[in-house]
PDB file of all heavy atoms in Angstrom:
ATOM      1  N   GLN A  76      -8.712  11.308  -6.746  1.00 95.00           N
ATOM      2  CA  GLN A  76      -8.750  12.622  -7.211  1.00 95.00           C
ATOM      3  C   GLN A  76      -9.598  13.606  -6.428  1.00 95.00           C
ATOM      4  O   GLN A  76      -9.380  14.823  -6.329  1.00 95.00           O
ATOM      5  CB  GLN A  76      -9.200  12.688  -8.692  1.00 95.00           C
ATOM      6  CG  GLN A  76     -10.619  12.252  -8.847  1.00 95.00           C
ATOM      7  CD  GLN A  76     -11.084  12.198 -10.281  1.00 95.00           C
ATOM      8  OE1 GLN A  76     -10.287  12.595 -11.237  1.00 95.00           O
ATOM      9  NE2 GLN A  76     -12.274  11.796 -10.605  1.00 95.00           N
ATOM     10  N   ASP A  77     -10.612  13.133  -5.793  1.00 89.00           N
ATOM     11  CA  ASP A  77     -11.550  14.019  -5.032  1.00 89.00           C
ATOM     12  C   ASP A  77     -11.359  13.975  -3.482  1.00 89.00           C
ATOM     13  O   ASP A  77     -12.109  14.585  -2.746  1.00 89.00           O
ATOM     14  CB  ASP A  77     -12.959  13.629  -5.310  1.00 89.00           C
ATOM     15  CG  ASP A  77     -13.373  13.771  -6.791  1.00 89.00           C
ATOM     16  OD1 ASP A  77     -12.858  14.745  -7.400  1.00 89.00           O
ATOM     17  OD2 ASP A  77     -14.143  13.015  -7.299  1.00 89.00           O
ATOM     18  N   ILE A  78     -10.212  13.345  -3.078  1.00 93.00           N
ATOM     19  CA  ILE A  78      -9.990  13.339  -1.659  1.00 93.00           C
ATOM     20  C   ILE A  78      -9.158  14.600  -1.228  1.00 93.00           C
ATOM     21  O   ILE A  78      -8.021  14.842  -1.759  1.00 93.00           O
ATOM     22  CB  ILE A  78      -9.162  12.043  -1.257  1.00 93.00           C
ATOM     23  CG1 ILE A  78     -10.016  10.833  -1.519  1.00 93.00           C
ATOM     24  CG2 ILE A  78      -8.752  12.092   0.213  1.00 93.00           C
ATOM     25  CD1 ILE A  78      -9.336   9.520  -1.245  1.00 93.00           C
ATOM     26  N   ASN A  79      -9.736  15.386  -0.408  1.00 89.00           N
ATOM     27  CA  ASN A  79      -9.052  16.557   0.055  1.00 89.00           C
ATOM     28  C   ASN A  79      -8.927  16.460   1.581  1.00 89.00           C
ATOM     29  O   ASN A  79      -9.873  16.296   2.301  1.00 89.00           O
ATOM     30  CB  ASN A  79      -9.877  17.826  -0.295  1.00 89.00           C
ATOM     31  CG  ASN A  79      -9.951  18.044  -1.753  1.00 89.00           C
ATOM     32  OD1 ASN A  79      -8.994  18.048  -2.488  1.00 89.00           O
ATOM     33  ND2 ASN A  79     -11.143  18.194  -2.302  1.00 89.00           N
ATOM     34  N   ASP A  80      -7.635  16.531   2.041  1.00 91.00           N
ATOM     35  CA  ASP A  80      -7.412  16.376   3.465  1.00 91.00           C
ATOM     36  C   ASP A  80      -6.379  17.502   3.815  1.00 91.00           C
ATOM     37  O   ASP A  80      -5.254  17.490   3.312  1.00 91.00           O
ATOM     38  CB  ASP A  80      -6.857  14.977   3.846  1.00 91.00           C
ATOM     39  CG  ASP A  80      -6.874  14.727   5.302  1.00 91.00           C
ATOM     40  OD1 ASP A  80      -6.209  15.516   6.037  1.00 91.00           O
ATOM     41  OD2 ASP A  80      -7.452  13.709   5.676  1.00 91.00           O
ATOM     42  N   GLU A  81      -6.786  18.364   4.736  1.00 91.00           N
ATOM     43  CA  GLU A  81      -5.903  19.417   5.068  1.00 91.00           C
ATOM     44  C   GLU A  81      -4.597  18.988   5.844  1.00 91.00           C
ATOM     45  O   GLU A  81      -3.647  19.702   5.823  1.00 91.00           O
ATOM     46  CB  GLU A  81      -6.720  20.410   6.034  1.00 91.00           C
ATOM     47  CG  GLU A  81      -7.837  21.145   5.305  1.00 91.00           C
ATOM     48  CD  GLU A  81      -8.512  22.129   6.244  1.00 91.00           C
ATOM     49  OE1 GLU A  81      -8.118  22.199   7.449  1.00 91.00           O
ATOM     50  OE2 GLU A  81      -9.441  22.840   5.774  1.00 91.00           O
ATOM     51  N   GLN A  82      -4.656  17.826   6.397  1.00 93.00           N
ATOM     52  CA  GLN A  82      -3.469  17.319   7.108  1.00 93.00           C
ATOM     53  C   GLN A  82      -2.563  16.440   6.386  1.00 93.00           C
ATOM     54  O   GLN A  82      -1.453  16.157   6.716  1.00 93.00           O
ATOM     55  CB  GLN A  82      -4.027  16.504   8.332  1.00 93.00           C
ATOM     56  CG  GLN A  82      -4.839  17.239   9.273  1.00 93.00           C
ATOM     57  CD  GLN A  82      -5.436  16.376  10.409  1.00 93.00           C
ATOM     58  OE1 GLN A  82      -4.659  15.490  10.949  1.00 93.00           O
ATOM     59  NE2 GLN A  82      -6.637  16.524  10.794  1.00 93.00           N
ATOM     60  N   LEU A  83      -3.050  15.999   5.145  1.00 97.00           N
ATOM     61  CA  LEU A  83      -2.254  14.955   4.453  1.00 97.00           C
ATOM     62  C   LEU A  83      -2.326  15.225   2.912  1.00 97.00           C
ATOM     63  O   LEU A  83      -3.419  15.284   2.385  1.00 97.00           O
ATOM     64  CB  LEU A  83      -2.816  13.584   4.772  1.00 97.00           C
ATOM     65  CG  LEU A  83      -2.140  12.374   4.150  1.00 97.00           C
ATOM     66  CD1 LEU A  83      -0.683  12.228   4.772  1.00 97.00           C
ATOM     67  CD2 LEU A  83      -2.927  11.078   4.330  1.00 97.00           C
ATOM     68  N   THR A  84      -1.216  15.259   2.285  1.00 97.00           N
ATOM     69  CA  THR A  84      -1.149  15.343   0.811  1.00 97.00           C
ATOM     70  C   THR A  84      -1.081  13.960   0.202  1.00 97.00           C
ATOM     71  O   THR A  84      -0.321  13.173   0.757  1.00 97.00           O
ATOM     72  CB  THR A  84       0.139  16.172   0.387  1.00 97.00           C
ATOM     73  OG1 THR A  84       0.065  17.525   0.885  1.00 97.00           O
ATOM     74  CG2 THR A  84       0.218  16.147  -1.146  1.00 97.00           C
ATOM     75  N   ILE A  85      -1.905  13.708  -0.708  1.00 98.00           N
ATOM     76  CA  ILE A  85      -2.019  12.398  -1.332  1.00 98.00           C
ATOM     77  C   ILE A  85      -1.506  12.477  -2.821  1.00 98.00           C
ATOM     78  O   ILE A  85      -2.075  13.303  -3.566  1.00 98.00           O
ATOM     79  CB  ILE A  85      -3.390  11.733  -1.317  1.00 98.00           C
ATOM     80  CG1 ILE A  85      -3.799  11.606   0.143  1.00 98.00           C
ATOM     81  CG2 ILE A  85      -3.400  10.447  -1.956  1.00 98.00           C
ATOM     82  CD1 ILE A  85      -5.189  11.101   0.315  1.00 98.00           C
ATOM     83  N   GLU A  86      -0.513  11.616  -3.150  1.00 97.00           N
ATOM     84  CA  GLU A  86      -0.014  11.665  -4.567  1.00 97.00           C
ATOM     85  C   GLU A  86       0.100  10.231  -5.066  1.00 97.00           C
ATOM     86  O   GLU A  86      -0.058   9.263  -4.356  1.00 97.00           O
ATOM     87  CB  GLU A  86       1.438  12.299  -4.542  1.00 97.00           C
ATOM     88  CG  GLU A  86       1.526  13.686  -4.149  1.00 97.00           C
ATOM     89  CD  GLU A  86       2.904  14.346  -4.195  1.00 97.00           C
ATOM     90  OE1 GLU A  86       3.872  13.473  -4.500  1.00 97.00           O
ATOM     91  OE2 GLU A  86       3.113  15.497  -3.949  1.00 97.00           O
ATOM     92  N   ILE A  87       0.136  10.093  -6.402  1.00 98.00           N
ATOM     93  CA  ILE A  87       0.304   8.796  -7.105  1.00 98.00           C
ATOM     94  C   ILE A  87       1.580   8.870  -7.909  1.00 98.00           C
ATOM     95  O   ILE A  87       1.815   9.823  -8.613  1.00 98.00           O
ATOM     96  CB  ILE A  87      -0.865   8.514  -8.014  1.00 98.00           C
ATOM     97  CG1 ILE A  87      -2.197   8.460  -7.200  1.00 98.00           C
ATOM     98  CG2 ILE A  87      -0.685   7.216  -8.678  1.00 98.00           C
ATOM     99  CD1 ILE A  87      -3.020   9.780  -7.340  1.00 98.00           C
ATOM    100  N   SER A  88       2.458   7.895  -7.715  1.00 98.00           N
ATOM    101  CA  SER A  88       3.678   7.734  -8.447  1.00 98.00           C
ATOM    102  C   SER A  88       3.596   6.710  -9.526  1.00 98.00           C
ATOM    103  O   SER A  88       3.050   5.572  -9.316  1.00 98.00           O
ATOM    104  CB  SER A  88       4.807   7.385  -7.510  1.00 98.00           C
ATOM    105  OG  SER A  88       5.984   7.146  -8.237  1.00 98.00           O
ATOM    106  N   ASP A  89       4.157   7.019 -10.734  1.00 97.00           N
ATOM    107  CA  ASP A  89       4.178   6.056 -11.802  1.00 97.00           C
ATOM    108  C   ASP A  89       5.546   5.404 -11.938  1.00 97.00           C
ATOM    109  O   ASP A  89       5.915   4.803 -12.948  1.00 97.00           O
ATOM    110  CB  ASP A  89       3.798   6.730 -13.123  1.00 97.00           C
ATOM    111  CG  ASP A  89       4.758   7.819 -13.580  1.00 97.00           C
ATOM    112  OD1 ASP A  89       5.746   8.138 -12.841  1.00 97.00           O
ATOM    113  OD2 ASP A  89       4.629   8.302 -14.719  1.00 97.00           O
ATOM    114  N   TYR A  90       6.360   5.567 -10.842  1.00 97.00           N
ATOM    115  CA  TYR A  90       7.772   5.072 -10.940  1.00 97.00           C
ATOM    116  C   TYR A  90       7.793   3.593 -11.381  1.00 97.00           C
ATOM    117  O   TYR A  90       8.483   3.132 -12.303  1.00 97.00           O
ATOM    118  CB  TYR A  90       8.452   5.245  -9.628  1.00 97.00           C
ATOM    119  CG  TYR A  90       9.782   4.565  -9.477  1.00 97.00           C
ATOM    120  CD1 TYR A  90      10.894   5.029 -10.211  1.00 97.00           C
ATOM    121  CD2 TYR A  90       9.926   3.389  -8.786  1.00 97.00           C
ATOM    122  CE1 TYR A  90      12.131   4.333 -10.109  1.00 97.00           C
ATOM    123  CE2 TYR A  90      11.171   2.726  -8.737  1.00 97.00           C
ATOM    124  CZ  TYR A  90      12.237   3.180  -9.455  1.00 97.00           C
ATOM    125  OH  TYR A  90      13.456   2.535  -9.336  1.00 97.00           O
ATOM    126  N   GLU A  91       7.054   2.735 -10.668  1.00 95.00           N
ATOM    127  CA  GLU A  91       7.138   1.286 -11.021  1.00 95.00           C
ATOM    128  C   GLU A  91       6.378   0.890 -12.260  1.00 95.00           C
ATOM    129  O   GLU A  91       6.761  -0.028 -12.908  1.00 95.00           O
ATOM    130  CB  GLU A  91       6.586   0.463  -9.767  1.00 95.00           C
ATOM    131  CG  GLU A  91       7.509   0.486  -8.565  1.00 95.00           C
ATOM    132  CD  GLU A  91       7.135  -0.605  -7.549  1.00 95.00           C
ATOM    133  OE1 GLU A  91       6.059  -1.218  -7.593  1.00 95.00           O
ATOM    134  OE2 GLU A  91       7.952  -0.836  -6.622  1.00 95.00           O
ATOM    135  N   THR A  92       5.379   1.682 -12.619  1.00 93.00           N
ATOM    136  CA  THR A  92       4.682   1.341 -13.903  1.00 93.00           C
ATOM    137  C   THR A  92       5.533   1.602 -15.075  1.00 93.00           C
ATOM    138  O   THR A  92       5.234   1.132 -16.167  1.00 93.00           O
ATOM    139  CB  THR A  92       3.362   2.033 -13.959  1.00 93.00           C
ATOM    140  OG1 THR A  92       3.614   3.554 -14.016  1.00 93.00           O
ATOM    141  CG2 THR A  92       2.431   1.792 -12.810  1.00 93.00           C
ATOM    142  N   GLN A  93       6.616   2.393 -14.896  1.00 92.00           N
ATOM    143  CA  GLN A  93       7.531   2.666 -15.995  1.00 92.00           C
ATOM    144  C   GLN A  93       8.650   1.663 -16.142  1.00 92.00           C
ATOM    145  O   GLN A  93       9.338   1.626 -17.150  1.00 92.00           O
ATOM    146  CB  GLN A  93       8.160   4.038 -15.771  1.00 92.00           C
ATOM    147  CG  GLN A  93       7.243   5.177 -15.642  1.00 92.00           C
ATOM    148  CD  GLN A  93       6.409   5.401 -16.922  1.00 92.00           C
ATOM    149  OE1 GLN A  93       7.041   5.351 -18.010  1.00 92.00           O
ATOM    150  NE2 GLN A  93       5.207   5.605 -16.790  1.00 92.00           N
ATOM    151  N   LEU A  94       8.730   0.705 -15.213  1.00 90.00           N
ATOM    152  CA  LEU A  94       9.789  -0.302 -15.198  1.00 90.00           C
ATOM    153  C   LEU A  94       9.436  -1.422 -16.142  1.00 90.00           C
ATOM    154  O   LEU A  94       8.295  -1.702 -16.420  1.00 90.00           O
ATOM    155  CB  LEU A  94       9.957  -0.886 -13.812  1.00 90.00           C
ATOM    156  CG  LEU A  94      10.487   0.067 -12.709  1.00 90.00           C
ATOM    157  CD1 LEU A  94      10.476  -0.668 -11.374  1.00 90.00           C
ATOM    158  CD2 LEU A  94      11.759   0.679 -12.999  1.00 90.00           C
ATOM    159  N   THR A  95      10.534  -2.059 -16.708  1.00 86.00           N
ATOM    160  CA  THR A  95      10.264  -3.231 -17.667  1.00 86.00           C
ATOM    161  C   THR A  95      10.601  -4.494 -16.949  1.00 86.00           C
ATOM    162  O   THR A  95      10.520  -5.524 -17.580  1.00 86.00           O
ATOM    163  CB  THR A  95      11.085  -3.033 -18.909  1.00 86.00           C
ATOM    164  OG1 THR A  95      12.477  -2.890 -18.519  1.00 86.00           O
ATOM    165  CG2 THR A  95      10.677  -1.791 -19.657  1.00 86.00           C
ATOM    166  N   SER A  96      10.998  -4.428 -15.684  1.00 85.00           N
ATOM    167  CA  SER A  96      11.365  -5.579 -14.908  1.00 85.00           C
ATOM    168  C   SER A  96      10.588  -5.626 -13.642  1.00 85.00           C
ATOM    169  O   SER A  96       9.869  -4.662 -13.286  1.00 85.00           O
ATOM    170  CB  SER A  96      12.860  -5.540 -14.552  1.00 85.00           C
ATOM    171  OG  SER A  96      13.140  -4.307 -13.818  1.00 85.00           O
ATOM    172  N   PRO A  97      10.583  -6.778 -12.895  1.00 85.00           N
ATOM    173  CA  PRO A  97       9.800  -6.930 -11.695  1.00 85.00           C
ATOM    174  C   PRO A  97      10.142  -5.776 -10.696  1.00 85.00           C
ATOM    175  O   PRO A  97      11.227  -5.288 -10.561  1.00 85.00           O
ATOM    176  CB  PRO A  97      10.214  -8.248 -11.156  1.00 85.00           C
ATOM    177  CG  PRO A  97      10.532  -9.084 -12.355  1.00 85.00           C
ATOM    178  CD  PRO A  97      11.214  -8.058 -13.257  1.00 85.00           C
ATOM    179  N   SER A  98       9.071  -5.306  -9.931  1.00 85.00           N
ATOM    180  CA  SER A  98       9.224  -4.262  -9.038  1.00 85.00           C
ATOM    181  C   SER A  98       9.648  -4.773  -7.631  1.00 85.00           C
ATOM    182  O   SER A  98       8.796  -5.074  -6.777  1.00 85.00           O
ATOM    183  CB  SER A  98       7.828  -3.511  -8.956  1.00 85.00           C
ATOM    184  OG  SER A  98       7.309  -3.230 -10.189  1.00 85.00           O
TER     185      SER A  98
END
Side-chain angles (χ1 to χ4, degrees):
Q76 66 183 357
D77 295 325
I78 297 178
N79 296 308
D80 194 305
E81 294 181 356
Q82 301 176 40
L83 183 68
T84 299
I85 299 175
E86 296 181 357
I87 300 100
S88 172
D89 65 354
Y90 170 74
E91 287 196 347
T92 62
Q93 301 297 317
L94 300 177
T95 57
S96 57
S98 308

